[in-house]
Amino acid sequence: MSWRIFHAGMTDVGRQRELNEDVLRVAPDKNLFIVIDGVSGTQGGEVVANLAADTLLDHFTHTSLETSTCASIERLLEEGLKLANRRIIEHVEAFPRHRASGAVAVAVVFDEDHAHFAHVGDARAYLYRGGKLRSLTRDHTWFNDLLASDIELTPEGIAYAARYSTVVIRTLGMEASVEVDLGHVDLEE
């Protein structure tokens, strides 16, 4: 089956910041779509966001796939995000004023039958199908990890913890290694 992909994108600085730390990269010939968001409010967020996006785009466009299986495409996305993480760490070592910089990322690649996605942090991928929108990714936040744990929480505990629902615990540039969540969804007509 052959798909025609139409895309549009826009970023906005919003009302809270002076600099736009959002980055959108598209490689139409590779059906690759990347969204990176610099960690809000840190000096250099826009720098590391661009570095991460360029690294992933470069890795994906200059690495050939031996086979185009789900696993190989997702592995390529994972390798690219891990490489972006290393580049951010190297950048921060060279520019200490950016030491608190990091980025969250989501990338999607379409092949003939699937949409493959990879993400770190709270950047999201969604699927719109049958008139319904659903998230394909789970935010890497303290609150989500708490809810997914085996810890029994009272309603009061959940209410207290919900105040920290936006505390991201996994970003590019946070640690020397990063875990990348991967997945794919079947495409339908």
Side-chain angles (χ1 to χ4, degrees):
M1 182 176 315
S2 180
W3 299 97
R4 288 182 54 200
I5 298 174
F6 298 91
H7 64 277
M10 184 177 113
T11 67
D12 185 81
V13 70
R15 297 179 180 164
Q16 302 290 322
R17 310 275 180 243
E18 292 181 20
L19 291 173
N20 190 347
E21 298 174 343
D22 302 335
V23 177
L24 172 66
R25 295 284 190 277
V26 177
D29 59 319
K30 299 286 187 178
N31 294 328
L32 172 65
F33 301 83
I34 302 168
V35 177
I36 310 279
D37 183 4
V39 174
S40 297
T42 61
Q43 186 177 19
E46 77 285 355
V47 174
V48 299
N50 277 289
L51 177 61
D54 292 342
T55 300
L56 178 55
L57 181 62
D58 185 63
H59 179 74
F60 202 88
T61 56
H62 292 98
T63 305
S64 61
L65 288 171
E66 293 174 20
T67 61
S68 60
T69 64
C70 289
S72 64
I73 293 170
E74 290 162 22
R75 186 172 43 254
L76 192 59
L77 286 170
E78 180 181 34
E79 289 169 356
L81 285 174
K82 287 184 174 192
L83 180 60
N85 185 66
R86 284 194 298 277
R87 296 264 167 84
I88 291 171
I89 297 290
E90 292 167 359
H91 172 83
V92 169
E93 288 173 356
F95 297 93
R97 70 182 179 276
H98 294 166
R99 73 178 171 278
S101 298
V104 298
V106 64
V108 179
V109 175
F110 294 91
D111 67 13
E112 289 295 316
D113 302 311
H114 304 94
H116 307 271
F117 53 91
H119 92 108
V120 174
D122 63 353
R124 299 177 185 139
Y126 291 93
L127 173 67
Y128 182 77
R129 180 179 286 162
K132 295 182 180 179
L133 186 67
R134 74 173 173 102
S135 180
L136 298 175
T137 56
R138 185 182 74 82
D139 290 355
H140 299 134
T141 62
W142 179 81
F143 184 68
N144 278 352
D145 273 15
L146 181 64
L147 291 179
S149 73
D150 291 334
I151 298 172
E152 284 196 37
L153 296 170
T154 64
E156 295 81 18
I158 292 173
Y160 175 79
R163 296 188 309 184
Y164 302 97
S165 63
T166 60
V167 176
V168 178
I169 59 170
R170 194 185 315 171
T171 67
L172 298 175
M174 182 179 276
E175 296 181 7
S177 65
V178 65
E179 183 179 348
V180 178
D181 285 0
L182 304 168
H184 64 270
V185 63
D186 293 340
L187 299 177
E188 298 178 355
E189 285 192 53

